[in-house]
Protein backbone atom coordinates (compact mmCIF):
# COMPACT_ATOMS: atom_id res chain seq x y z
CA UNK A 1 0.00 0.00 0.00
CA UNK A 2 2.88 2.37 0.68
CA UNK A 3 3.48 2.97 -3.06
CA UNK A 4 0.00 4.48 -3.52
CA UNK A 5 -0.46 8.21 -3.17
CA UNK A 6 -1.67 8.84 0.36
CA UNK A 7 -5.20 10.29 0.20
CA UNK A 8 -5.90 13.75 1.61
CA UNK A 9 -8.07 12.12 4.22
CA UNK A 10 -7.60 8.64 5.57
CA UNK A 11 -10.93 7.40 6.88
CA UNK A 12 -11.05 4.07 8.64
CA UNK A 13 -14.24 2.04 8.44
CA UNK A 14 -16.52 1.55 11.45
CA UNK A 15 -15.23 -1.95 12.08
CA UNK A 16 -11.70 -0.60 12.37
CA UNK A 17 -12.70 1.40 15.46
CA UNK A 18 -10.56 0.20 18.36
CA UNK A 19 -12.23 -2.46 20.50
CA UNK A 20 -10.20 -1.47 23.59
CA UNK A 21 -8.54 1.60 25.05
CA UNK A 22 -4.82 1.31 25.67
CA UNK A 23 -3.48 1.90 29.19
CA UNK A 24 0.09 3.19 28.75
CA UNK A 25 0.74 2.85 32.51
CA UNK A 26 1.00 -0.91 31.98
CA UNK A 27 4.18 -0.37 29.93
CA UNK A 28 5.70 2.42 32.05
CA UNK A 29 8.64 1.36 34.20
CA UNK A 30 8.18 4.34 36.48
CA UNK A 31 4.45 4.41 37.19
CA UNK A 32 2.73 7.75 37.72
CA UNK A 33 2.53 8.55 41.42
CA UNK A 34 -0.79 7.67 43.11
CA UNK A 35 -3.33 10.29 44.24
CA UNK A 36 -2.85 11.06 47.93
CA UNK A 37 -5.34 11.72 50.68
CA UNK A 38 -4.65 15.39 51.57
CA UNK A 39 -5.18 14.66 55.29
CA UNK A 40 -3.09 11.51 55.77
CA UNK A 41 -0.76 11.78 52.72
CA UNK A 42 -1.45 8.09 52.07
CA UNK A 43 -2.54 6.81 48.62
CA UNK A 44 -6.28 7.24 48.06
CA UNK A 45 -8.10 3.92 48.24
CA UNK A 46 -11.05 2.74 46.17
CA UNK A 47 -13.35 3.27 49.17
CA UNK A 48 -12.11 6.81 49.77
CA UNK A 49 -12.75 7.76 46.16
CA UNK A 50 -16.25 6.25 46.02
CA UNK A 51 -18.19 9.31 47.27
CA UNK A 52 -16.65 11.38 44.45
CA UNK A 53 -16.25 9.17 41.36
CA UNK A 54 -18.16 6.29 39.72
CA UNK A 55 -16.95 2.83 40.75
CA UNK A 56 -15.86 1.63 37.33
CA UNK A 57 -13.98 4.88 36.68
CA UNK A 58 -12.13 4.55 39.99
CA UNK A 59 -11.00 1.08 38.90
CA UNK A 60 -9.65 2.56 35.68
CA UNK A 61 -8.03 5.40 37.62
CA UNK A 62 -6.16 3.01 39.90
CA UNK A 63 -5.25 0.37 37.29
CA UNK A 64 -1.54 0.60 36.45
CA UNK A 65 -1.20 -2.89 35.01
CA UNK A 66 -3.96 -3.85 32.52
CA UNK A 67 -2.71 -2.85 29.06
CA UNK A 68 -6.03 -3.05 27.20
CA UNK A 69 -9.45 -2.18 28.63
CA UNK A 70 -12.43 -3.12 26.47
CA UNK A 71 -14.63 -0.29 25.20
CA UNK A 72 -18.23 -1.24 26.10
CA UNK A 73 -20.51 -1.82 23.08
CA UNK A 74 -22.79 1.15 23.99
CA UNK A 75 -19.82 3.52 23.92
CA UNK A 76 -18.60 2.09 20.62
CA UNK A 77 -22.09 2.67 19.18
CA UNK A 78 -21.95 6.31 20.26
CA UNK A 79 -18.41 6.68 18.88
CA UNK A 80 -19.76 5.57 15.49
CA UNK A 81 -21.81 8.78 15.27
CA UNK A 82 -18.63 10.81 14.80
CA UNK A 83 -15.75 8.34 14.61
CA UNK A 84 -13.44 7.10 13.26
CA UNK A 85 -12.07 10.64 12.97
CA UNK A 86 -10.14 11.48 9.81
CA UNK A 87 -6.36 11.53 9.63
CA UNK A 88 -5.56 14.31 7.18
CA UNK A 89 -2.44 14.75 5.07
CA UNK A 90 -1.85 18.51 5.08
CA UNK A 91 -0.76 18.64 1.43
CA UNK A 92 -1.85 22.28 1.08
CA UNK A 93 0.04 23.40 4.17
CA UNK A 94 3.17 21.52 3.05
CA UNK A 95 2.98 23.24 -0.34
CA UNK A 96 2.46 26.66 1.21
CA UNK A 97 5.46 26.15 3.50
CA UNK A 98 7.56 24.66 0.69
CA UNK A 99 8.72 21.94 3.04
CA UNK A 100 9.90 18.44 2.16
CA UNK A 101 8.33 17.28 5.45
CA UNK A 102 5.11 15.29 5.37
CA UNK A 103 2.52 16.70 7.74
CA UNK A 104 -0.47 14.80 9.11
CA UNK A 105 -3.11 15.83 11.58
CA UNK A 106 -5.77 13.87 13.40
CA UNK A 107 -8.93 15.97 13.38
CA UNK A 108 -11.16 15.73 16.45
CA UNK A 109 -13.47 18.67 15.68
CA UNK A 110 -16.13 16.72 13.75
CA UNK A 111 -18.79 16.75 16.45
CA UNK A 112 -21.01 19.43 17.96
CA UNK A 113 -18.89 19.86 21.08
CA UNK A 114 -16.14 20.80 18.63
CA UNK A 115 -13.36 18.90 20.39
CA UNK A 116 -11.94 15.55 21.47
CA UNK A 117 -13.62 15.91 24.90
CA UNK A 118 -16.67 13.91 23.79
CA UNK A 119 -14.48 10.75 23.70
CA UNK A 120 -14.24 10.75 27.48
CA UNK A 121 -17.56 12.46 28.25
CA UNK A 122 -19.52 9.59 26.70
CA UNK A 123 -17.47 7.01 28.61
CA UNK A 124 -17.93 8.78 31.94
CA UNK A 125 -21.67 9.28 31.38
CA UNK A 126 -22.02 5.60 30.43
CA UNK A 127 -20.42 4.35 33.65
CA UNK A 128 -22.51 6.76 35.74
CA UNK A 129 -25.69 5.51 34.08
CA UNK A 130 -24.66 1.87 34.47
CA UNK A 131 -24.15 2.45 38.20
CA UNK A 132 -27.73 3.71 38.41
CA UNK A 133 -26.81 7.29 39.31
CA UNK A 134 -29.15 10.24 38.83
CA UNK A 135 -26.59 12.64 37.49
CA UNK A 136 -23.12 14.12 37.40
CA UNK A 137 -21.54 17.47 38.19
CA UNK A 138 -18.55 19.08 36.58
CA UNK A 139 -16.70 22.31 35.86
CA UNK A 140 -16.01 23.88 32.52
CA UNK A 141 -13.64 26.68 31.56
CA UNK A 142 -13.90 27.69 27.93
CA UNK A 143 -16.94 25.43 27.65
CA UNK A 144 -15.90 22.51 25.42
CA UNK A 145 -16.00 20.00 28.26
CA UNK A 146 -19.37 21.26 29.51
CA UNK A 147 -20.76 20.95 26.00
CA UNK A 148 -19.36 17.45 25.51
CA UNK A 149 -20.66 16.26 28.87
CA UNK A 150 -24.12 17.75 28.34
CA UNK A 151 -24.33 15.90 25.00
CA UNK A 152 -23.23 12.63 26.60
CA UNK A 153 -25.64 12.99 29.54
CA UNK A 154 -28.62 13.80 27.36
CA UNK A 155 -27.86 10.66 25.31
CA UNK A 156 -28.06 8.48 28.43
CA UNK A 157 -30.80 10.47 30.19
CA UNK A 158 -28.61 11.64 33.07
CA UNK A 159 -28.91 14.95 34.90
CA UNK A 160 -25.92 17.20 34.25
CA UNK A 161 -24.85 20.18 36.40
CA UNK A 162 -22.08 22.36 35.03
CA UNK A 163 -20.14 25.00 36.97
CA UNK A 164 -18.77 27.36 34.35
CA UNK A 165 -15.91 29.77 35.13
CA UNK A 166 -17.71 33.12 35.47
CA UNK A 167 -15.61 35.08 32.94
CA UNK A 168 -16.26 32.42 30.30
CA UNK A 169 -19.94 32.28 31.23
CA UNK A 170 -20.15 35.99 30.48
CA UNK A 171 -17.83 36.01 27.45
CA UNK A 172 -19.20 32.92 25.76
CA UNK A 173 -23.00 33.21 25.80
CA UNK A 174 -23.34 30.96 22.73
CA UNK A 175 -21.34 28.15 24.28
CA UNK A 176 -23.69 28.46 27.26
CA UNK A 177 -26.74 28.11 25.03
CA UNK A 178 -25.41 24.97 23.36
CA UNK A 179 -24.98 23.45 26.82
CA UNK A 180 -28.52 24.47 27.81
CA UNK A 181 -29.88 23.08 24.54
CA UNK A 182 -28.56 19.69 25.56
CA UNK A 183 -30.44 20.05 28.84
CA UNK A 184 -27.67 20.68 31.36
CA UNK A 185 -28.05 23.09 34.26
CA UNK A 186 -25.31 25.70 34.15
CA UNK A 187 -24.14 27.92 37.03
CA UNK A 188 -21.48 30.64 36.82
CA UNK A 189 -18.65 29.93 39.26
CA UNK A 190 -17.91 30.98 41.94
CA UNK A 191 -21.54 30.88 43.02
CA UNK A 192 -23.67 31.15 46.15
CA UNK A 193 -24.88 27.56 45.65
CA UNK A 194 -21.93 25.90 47.43
CA UNK A 195 -20.09 26.47 50.67
CA UNK A 196 -16.74 26.72 48.91
CA UNK A 197 -18.20 29.16 46.35
CA UNK A 198 -19.55 31.41 49.13
CA UNK A 199 -16.19 31.31 50.87
CA UNK A 200 -14.29 32.28 47.71
CA UNK A 201 -16.80 35.07 46.97
CA UNK A 202 -16.43 36.45 50.50
CA UNK A 203 -12.66 36.50 50.11
CA UNK A 204 -12.54 37.75 46.52
CA UNK A 205 -15.77 39.62 45.73
CA UNK A 206 -16.11 40.29 42.01
CA UNK A 207 -13.69 37.51 41.00
CA UNK A 208 -14.13 36.09 37.50
CA UNK A 209 -13.44 32.63 38.84
CA UNK A 210 -11.00 29.97 37.74
CA UNK A 211 -10.99 26.30 36.78
CA UNK A 212 -9.61 25.32 40.17
CA UNK A 213 -12.46 27.13 41.87
CA UNK A 214 -15.16 25.62 39.63
CA UNK A 215 -13.75 22.13 40.32
CA UNK A 216 -14.16 22.69 44.08
CA UNK A 217 -17.78 23.74 43.61
CA UNK A 218 -18.60 20.80 41.34
CA UNK A 219 -17.05 18.28 43.75
CA UNK A 220 -19.02 19.76 46.64
CA UNK A 221 -22.23 19.67 44.62
CA UNK A 222 -21.67 15.99 43.78
CA UNK A 223 -20.89 14.89 47.32
CA UNK A 224 -23.86 16.80 48.78
CA UNK A 225 -26.52 15.27 46.54
CA UNK A 226 -27.77 11.69 46.72
CA UNK A 227 -27.06 9.76 43.49
CA UNK A 228 -24.55 12.23 42.03
CA UNK A 229 -20.87 11.90 41.22
CA UNK A 230 -18.24 14.30 39.95
CA UNK A 231 -16.62 13.93 36.54
CA UNK A 232 -13.56 15.67 35.12
CA UNK A 233 -12.64 16.33 31.49
CA UNK A 234 -8.84 16.12 31.63
CA UNK A 235 -5.80 15.44 33.84
CA UNK A 236 -7.00 12.12 35.35
CA UNK A 237 -5.62 8.73 34.25
CA UNK A 238 -9.11 7.55 33.24
CA UNK A 239 -9.53 10.51 30.87
CA UNK A 240 -6.19 9.83 29.16
CA UNK A 241 -7.26 6.21 28.85
CA UNK A 242 -10.52 7.10 27.04
CA UNK A 243 -8.70 9.54 24.79
CA UNK A 244 -6.39 6.80 23.51
CA UNK A 245 -9.09 6.13 20.92
CA UNK A 246 -7.41 9.09 19.11
CA UNK A 247 -3.96 7.52 19.04
CA UNK A 248 -5.18 4.00 18.34
CA UNK A 249 -7.13 5.10 15.27
CA UNK A 250 -4.16 7.16 14.11
CA UNK A 251 -1.82 4.22 14.51
CA UNK A 252 -4.15 1.86 12.60
CA UNK A 253 -4.48 4.38 9.75
CA UNK A 254 -0.74 5.02 9.56
CA UNK A 255 0.19 1.35 9.78
CA UNK A 256 -2.27 0.62 6.98
CA UNK A 257 -0.45 3.00 4.65
CA UNK A 258 3.02 2.21 5.92
CA UNK A 259 3.53 5.68 7.40
CA UNK A 260 5.84 6.14 10.38
CA UNK A 261 5.70 9.46 12.19
CA UNK A 262 9.08 10.85 13.31
CA UNK A 263 7.68 13.69 15.40
CA UNK A 264 4.35 13.64 17.27
CA UNK A 265 3.05 16.96 18.57
CA UNK A 266 0.11 17.91 20.75
CA UNK A 267 -1.07 20.86 22.79
CA UNK A 268 -1.10 20.31 26.53
CA UNK A 269 -3.65 21.79 28.94
CA UNK A 270 -4.34 19.01 31.41
CA UNK A 271 -2.80 16.53 28.99
CA UNK A 272 -5.75 14.44 27.81
CA UNK A 273 -5.57 14.89 24.04
CA UNK A 274 -1.79 14.70 24.00
CA UNK A 275 -1.79 11.63 26.22
CA UNK A 276 -4.52 10.07 24.07
CA UNK A 277 -2.67 10.72 20.82
CA UNK A 278 0.77 9.61 21.95
CA UNK A 279 -0.05 6.68 24.28
CA UNK A 280 -0.02 3.84 21.71
CA UNK A 281 3.15 5.23 20.09
CA UNK A 282 4.73 5.74 23.52
CA UNK A 283 3.83 2.12 24.26
CA UNK A 284 5.93 1.01 21.28
CA UNK A 285 8.77 3.24 22.46
CA UNK A 286 8.56 1.92 26.02
CA UNK A 287 8.60 -1.67 24.75
CA UNK A 288 11.61 -0.89 22.54
CA UNK A 289 9.72 -1.55 19.29
CA UNK A 290 10.07 1.89 17.70
CA UNK A 291 11.25 5.40 18.49
CA UNK A 292 9.47 8.71 18.12
CA UNK A 293 10.03 12.29 19.20
CA UNK A 294 7.11 13.54 21.30
CA UNK A 295 6.53 17.26 21.86
CA UNK A 296 4.05 18.77 24.31
CA UNK A 297 3.19 22.37 23.50
CA UNK A 298 2.00 24.73 26.21
CA UNK A 299 1.28 28.45 26.38
CA UNK A 300 4.17 30.63 27.57
CA UNK A 301 1.62 32.22 29.91
CA UNK A 302 0.80 28.91 31.66
CA UNK A 303 4.04 26.88 31.47
CA UNK A 304 3.42 23.96 33.86
CA UNK A 305 5.78 21.42 32.24
CA UNK A 306 8.55 23.81 31.26
CA UNK A 307 8.67 25.97 34.40
CA UNK A 308 6.59 24.15 37.02
CA UNK A 309 7.64 21.96 39.95
CA UNK A 310 7.23 18.17 39.85
CA UNK A 311 5.60 17.66 43.25
CA UNK A 312 2.33 16.77 44.94
CA UNK A 313 -0.13 19.61 44.68
CA UNK A 314 -3.78 20.43 45.09
CA UNK A 315 -5.90 19.88 41.99
CA UNK A 316 -8.36 22.62 42.89
CA UNK A 317 -8.55 26.01 44.62
CA UNK A 318 -10.80 24.88 47.48
CA UNK A 319 -8.49 21.91 48.28
CA UNK A 320 -11.36 19.41 48.33
CA UNK A 321 -9.71 17.01 45.82
CA UNK A 322 -6.94 14.47 46.43
CA UNK A 323 -3.33 15.57 45.93
CA UNK A 324 -1.74 14.67 42.59
CA UNK A 325 1.95 14.47 41.78
CA UNK A 326 2.44 16.49 38.65
CA UNK A 327 4.25 19.38 37.07
CA UNK A 328 2.42 22.30 38.61
CA UNK A 329 2.45 26.07 38.92
CA UNK A 330 0.50 25.90 42.21
CA UNK A 331 -3.28 25.71 42.56
CA UNK A 332 -3.53 29.46 43.09
CA UNK A 333 -1.77 30.26 39.82
CA UNK A 334 -4.06 32.03 37.34
CA UNK A 335 -2.73 32.99 33.89
CA UNK A 336 -2.66 36.71 33.11
CA UNK A 337 -6.02 38.14 31.99
CA UNK A 338 -4.84 38.80 28.42
CA UNK A 339 -4.37 35.06 27.89
CA UNK A 340 -7.08 33.97 25.44
CA UNK A 341 -5.97 30.63 24.11
CA UNK A 342 -7.18 28.09 26.69
CA UNK A 343 -4.82 25.49 28.23
CA UNK A 344 -4.95 27.41 31.50
CA UNK A 345 -4.94 24.61 34.08
CA UNK A 346 -2.17 24.98 36.70
CA UNK A 347 -1.14 21.30 36.65
CA UNK A 348 -0.60 18.44 34.22
CA UNK A 349 -1.60 14.78 33.95
CA UNK A 350 0.48 12.60 36.30
CA UNK A 351 1.16 10.17 33.45
CA UNK A 352 2.54 12.86 31.14
CA UNK A 353 4.41 14.48 34.03
CA UNK A 354 6.18 11.18 34.72
CA UNK A 355 6.97 10.55 31.04
CA UNK A 356 8.36 14.06 30.75
CA UNK A 357 10.41 13.71 33.92
CA UNK A 358 11.82 10.43 32.56
CA UNK A 359 12.98 12.25 29.42
CA UNK A 360 10.60 10.32 27.15
CA UNK A 361 8.80 13.45 25.97
CA UNK A 362 9.86 17.08 25.33
CA UNK A 363 7.93 20.25 26.06
CA UNK A 364 7.95 23.68 24.41
CA UNK A 365 6.20 26.94 25.06
CA UNK A 366 4.74 29.31 22.49
CA UNK A 367 3.30 32.80 22.80
CA UNK A 368 -0.28 33.50 21.88
CA UNK A 369 0.16 35.96 19.01
CA UNK A 370 2.42 33.50 17.17
CA UNK A 371 -0.15 30.80 17.92
CA UNK A 372 -2.92 32.82 16.29
CA UNK A 373 -0.64 33.61 13.33
CA UNK A 374 -0.19 29.88 12.85
CA UNK A 375 -3.96 29.38 13.24
CA UNK A 376 -4.61 31.93 10.52
CA UNK A 377 -2.04 30.42 8.16
CA UNK A 378 -3.52 26.96 8.73
CA UNK A 379 -7.13 28.13 8.29
CA UNK A 380 -6.30 29.81 5.00
CA UNK A 381 -4.81 26.73 3.37
CA UNK A 382 -6.41 23.76 5.12
CA UNK A 383 -9.92 25.21 5.39
CA UNK A 384 -10.54 24.37 9.04
CA UNK A 385 -10.86 27.16 11.62
CA UNK A 386 -8.78 25.69 14.45
CA UNK A 387 -9.40 26.07 18.18
CA UNK A 388 -6.78 28.31 19.85
CA UNK A 389 -5.71 25.31 21.95
CA UNK A 390 -5.10 23.16 18.87
CA UNK A 391 -3.21 26.02 17.26
CA UNK A 392 -0.41 25.62 19.79
CA UNK A 393 0.31 22.27 18.14
CA UNK A 394 -0.06 23.78 14.66
CA UNK A 395 2.55 26.40 15.53
CA UNK A 396 5.15 23.82 16.53
CA UNK A 397 4.27 21.55 13.57
CA UNK A 398 4.95 24.50 11.25
CA UNK A 399 8.22 25.26 13.08
CA UNK A 400 9.32 21.64 12.66
CA UNK A 401 8.32 21.61 8.98
CA UNK A 402 10.32 24.80 8.35
CA UNK A 403 13.31 23.25 10.12
CA UNK A 404 13.04 20.33 7.68
CA UNK A 405 13.02 22.81 4.82
CA UNK A 406 16.23 24.40 6.08
CA UNK A 407 17.96 21.05 6.63
CA UNK A 408 16.45 19.30 3.60
CA UNK A 409 14.96 16.61 5.85
CA UNK A 410 11.89 14.60 4.82
CA UNK A 411 10.51 13.99 8.28
CA UNK A 412 6.97 12.84 8.90
CA UNK A 413 5.22 15.13 11.36
CA UNK A 414 1.97 14.21 13.10
CA UNK A 415 -0.04 16.58 15.25
CA UNK A 416 -3.38 16.54 17.03
CA UNK A 417 -5.95 19.02 15.73
CA UNK A 418 -8.16 18.82 18.77
CA UNK A 419 -11.03 21.06 17.73
CA UNK A 420 -12.61 24.01 15.99
CA UNK A 421 -12.57 27.62 17.14
CA UNK A 422 -16.05 28.95 16.31
CA UNK A 423 -16.70 29.95 19.91
CA UNK A 424 -13.37 31.74 20.25
CA UNK A 425 -14.20 34.69 18.05
CA UNK A 426 -13.34 37.30 20.68
CA UNK A 427 -9.81 35.92 20.70
CA UNK A 428 -9.67 35.85 16.91
CA UNK A 429 -11.06 39.40 16.89
CA UNK A 430 -8.30 40.61 19.19
CA UNK A 431 -5.76 38.97 16.89
CA UNK A 432 -7.34 40.42 13.74
CA UNK A 433 -7.58 43.89 15.34
CA UNK A 434 -3.92 43.71 16.33
CA UNK A 435 -4.79 44.21 20.00
CA UNK A 436 -3.67 40.76 21.17
CA UNK A 437 -0.63 40.86 23.43
CA UNK A 438 1.69 38.31 25.02
CA UNK A 439 2.59 37.93 28.63
CA UNK A 440 5.24 35.63 29.98
CA UNK A 441 5.03 35.33 33.76
CA UNK A 442 8.15 36.46 35.61
CA UNK A 443 9.89 34.22 38.14
CA UNK A 444 8.26 36.38 40.81
CA UNK A 445 4.78 35.74 39.38
CA UNK A 446 5.49 32.01 39.47
CA UNK A 447 6.92 32.15 43.00
CA UNK A 448 3.49 33.31 44.25
CA UNK A 449 1.91 30.18 42.80
CA UNK A 450 4.64 27.90 44.17
CA UNK A 451 4.06 29.34 47.65
CA UNK A 452 0.63 27.67 47.66
CA UNK A 453 2.01 24.15 47.06
CA UNK A 454 1.70 22.01 50.22
CA UNK A 455 4.94 21.06 51.97
CA UNK A 456 5.15 17.81 53.90
CA UNK A 457 7.83 15.16 54.40
CA UNK A 458 8.70 13.78 50.97
CA UNK A 459 7.22 16.78 49.19
CA UNK A 460 10.05 19.27 49.60
CA UNK A 461 11.11 21.37 46.63
C1 LIG B 1 -9.86 21.14 26.39
C2 LIG B 1 -9.17 21.28 25.10
C3 LIG B 1 -7.78 21.12 24.99
C4 LIG B 1 -6.87 20.92 26.18
O1 LIG B 1 -7.15 19.88 27.04
P1 LIG B 1 -6.21 18.63 27.19
O2 LIG B 1 -6.81 17.86 28.29
O3 LIG B 1 -4.83 19.10 27.48
O4 LIG B 1 -6.27 17.90 25.90
C5 LIG B 1 -7.20 21.21 23.76
N1 LIG B 1 -7.93 21.46 22.65
C6 LIG B 1 -9.27 21.62 22.71
C7 LIG B 1 -10.01 21.90 21.46
C8 LIG B 1 -9.94 21.52 23.93
O5 LIG B 1 -11.24 21.69 23.98
Amino acid sequence: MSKEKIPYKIYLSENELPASWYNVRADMKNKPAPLLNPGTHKPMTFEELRPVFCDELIKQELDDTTPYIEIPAEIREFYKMYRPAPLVRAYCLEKKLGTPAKIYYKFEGNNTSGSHKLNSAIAQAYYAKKQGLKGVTTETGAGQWGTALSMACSYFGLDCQVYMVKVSYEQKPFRREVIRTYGAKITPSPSETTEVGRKILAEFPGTGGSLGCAISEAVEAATHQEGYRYVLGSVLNQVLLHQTVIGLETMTAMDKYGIKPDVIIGCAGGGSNLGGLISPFMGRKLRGEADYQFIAVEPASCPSLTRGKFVYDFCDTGHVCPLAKMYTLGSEFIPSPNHAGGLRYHGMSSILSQLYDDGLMEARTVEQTEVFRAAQEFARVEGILPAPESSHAIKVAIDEALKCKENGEEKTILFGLTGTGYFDMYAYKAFNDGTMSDYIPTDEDLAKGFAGIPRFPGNEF
Side-chain angles (χ1 to χ4, degrees):
M1 276 227 136
S2 52
K3 290 264 155 28
E4 264 178 56
K5 176 167 162 139
I6 309 287
Y8 270 75
K9 290 199 176 86
I10 304 177
Y11 280 105
L12 297 175
S13 66
E14 274 177 16
N15 57 20
E16 289 169 298
L17 252 176
S20 302
W21 294 300
Y22 166 64
N23 180 6
V24 70
R25 285 169 284 168
D27 284 309
M28 288 169 70
K29 276 194 204 76
N30 296 327
K31 307 290 183 197
L35 296 171
L36 293 189
N37 179 316
T40 63
H41 299 152
K42 296 237 163 62
M44 291 291 288
T45 61
F46 180 78
E47 284 304 324
E48 284 174 315
L49 289 165
R50 284 191 82 187
V52 183
F53 298 120
C54 304
D55 292 355
E56 199 58 37
L57 292 168
I58 301 172
K59 284 186 203 151
Q60 294 179 358
E61 193 63 29
L62 300 177
D63 187 341
D64 281 351
T65 52
T66 313
Y68 288 94
I69 294 174
E70 194 182 327
I71 306 175
E74 290 92 331
I75 299 176
R76 280 168 53 91
E77 283 304 307
F78 186 90
Y79 278 167
K80 284 178 193 168
M81 277 198 259
Y82 68 101
R83 309 200 70 85
L87 176 69
V88 186
R89 172 77 183 268
Y91 281 115
C92 302
L93 180 63
E94 290 170 16
K95 194 167 153 207
K96 169 91 185 299
L97 298 173
T99 176
K102 300 177 184 73
I103 308 173
Y104 292 86
Y105 57 91
K106 180 71 168 168
F107 182 47
E108 290 291 323
N110 271 336
N111 69 78
T112 295
S113 79
S115 82
H116 65 286
K117 294 210 170 62
L118 195 54
N119 300 331
S120 183
I122 194 63
Q124 298 194 46
Y126 167 79
Y127 290 116
K129 183 69 184 177
K130 204 173 142 219
Q131 197 176 319
L133 298 174
K134 286 185 205 145
V136 292
T137 71
T138 198
E139 77 296 328
T140 197
Q144 290 97 321
W145 171 244
T147 310
L149 189 70
S150 65
M151 291 172 70
C153 286
S154 69
Y155 182 75
F156 284 123
L158 276 173
D159 187 36
C160 179
Q161 302 174 359
V162 179
Y163 286 85
M164 185 166 186
V165 178
K166 195 184 277 170
V167 277
S168 301
Y169 183 88
E170 281 156 10
Q171 285 173 2
K172 301 197 172 184
F174 298 137
R175 188 52 95 178
R176 198 163 86 199
E177 290 316 312
V178 180
I179 296 175
R180 288 179 63 210
T181 301
Y182 280 95
K185 185 174 145 214
I186 179 161
T187 308
S189 167
S191 74
E192 297 284 348
T193 66
T194 63
E195 201 178 301
V196 64
R198 289 189 292 273
K199 202 172 133 205
I200 292 166
L201 281 174
E203 205 175 327
F204 309 100
T207 174
S210 70
L211 263 183
C213 170
I215 293 174
S216 305
E217 286 206 276
V219 172
E220 183 183 320
T223 50
H224 286 65
Q225 294 174 89
E226 185 66 36
Y228 282 76
R229 293 293 185 280
Y230 167 70
V231 295
L232 181 64
S234 186
V235 188
L236 294 174
N237 298 340
Q238 54 185 278
V239 183
L240 257 77
L241 175 73
H242 306 148
Q243 293 298 354
T244 60
V245 69
I246 304 172
L248 290 163
E249 280 181 12
T250 305
M251 188 175 252
T252 304
M254 290 196 141
D255 285 353
K256 199 167 161 177
Y257 284 89
I259 307 159
K260 183 192 170 286
D262 298 297
V263 191
I264 307 179
I265 303 163
C267 63
S272 74
N273 87 82
L274 176 66
L277 175 66
I278 70 173
S279 276
F281 296 97
M282 183 62 83
R284 282 184 176 166
K285 180 166 171 148
L286 290 165
R287 296 189 301 269
E289 298 163 8
D291 199 14
Y292 309 93
Q293 182 186 9
F294 300 103
I295 308 174
V297 189
E298 54 184 19
S301 50
C302 191
S304 32
L305 283 171
T306 47
R307 294 175 69 194
K309 308 276 185 208
F310 187 39
V311 287
Y312 272 102
D313 192 16
F314 300 107
C315 295
D316 63 316
T317 313
H319 303 174
V320 298
C321 295
L323 299 171
K325 187 173 180 192
M326 56 186 177
Y327 276 87
T328 178
L329 298 167
S331 62
E332 276 147 51
F333 177 84
I334 294 178
S336 91
N338 73 348
H339 173 71
L343 311 173
R344 40 174 58 246
Y345 188 62
H346 67 274
M348 182 60 60
S349 138
S350 291
I351 295 175
L352 290 186
S353 293
Q354 188 63 51
L355 292 169
Y356 176 64
D357 203 59
D358 287 341
L360 292 158
M361 179 181 87
E362 301 166 29
R364 283 189 207 165
T365 59
V366 287
E367 293 176 43
Q368 67 175 355
T369 44
E370 56 180 4
V371 165
F372 277 82
R373 214 172 293 125
Q376 185 188 60
E377 185 163 26
F378 181 84
R380 288 181 182 181
V381 290
E382 289 291 320
I384 295 170
L385 183 84
E389 293 90 343
S390 323
S391 306
H392 289 71
I394 297 176
K395 164 68 183 144
V396 170
I398 291 177
D399 287 350
E400 287 297 307
L402 291 176
K403 227 186 274 170
C404 288
K405 182 178 175 177
E406 235 167 74
N407 307 336
E409 284 177 301
E410 276 187 45
K411 279 190 186 168
T412 297
I413 299 167
L414 164 66
F415 72 90
L417 187 68
T418 50
T420 47
Y422 301 112
F423 290 103
D424 299 284
M425 285 299 131
Y426 281 113
Y428 271 97
K429 180 177 188 306
F431 175 73
N432 291 330
D433 288 347
T435 57
M436 180 172 274
S437 57
D438 296 317
Y439 183 76
I440 302 178
T442 62
D443 288 342
E444 278 161 13
D445 294 333
L446 295 186
K448 283 182 214 150
F450 296 147
I453 297 174
R455 286 172 193 267
F456 54 90
N459 206 49
E460 292 89 5
F461 56 92

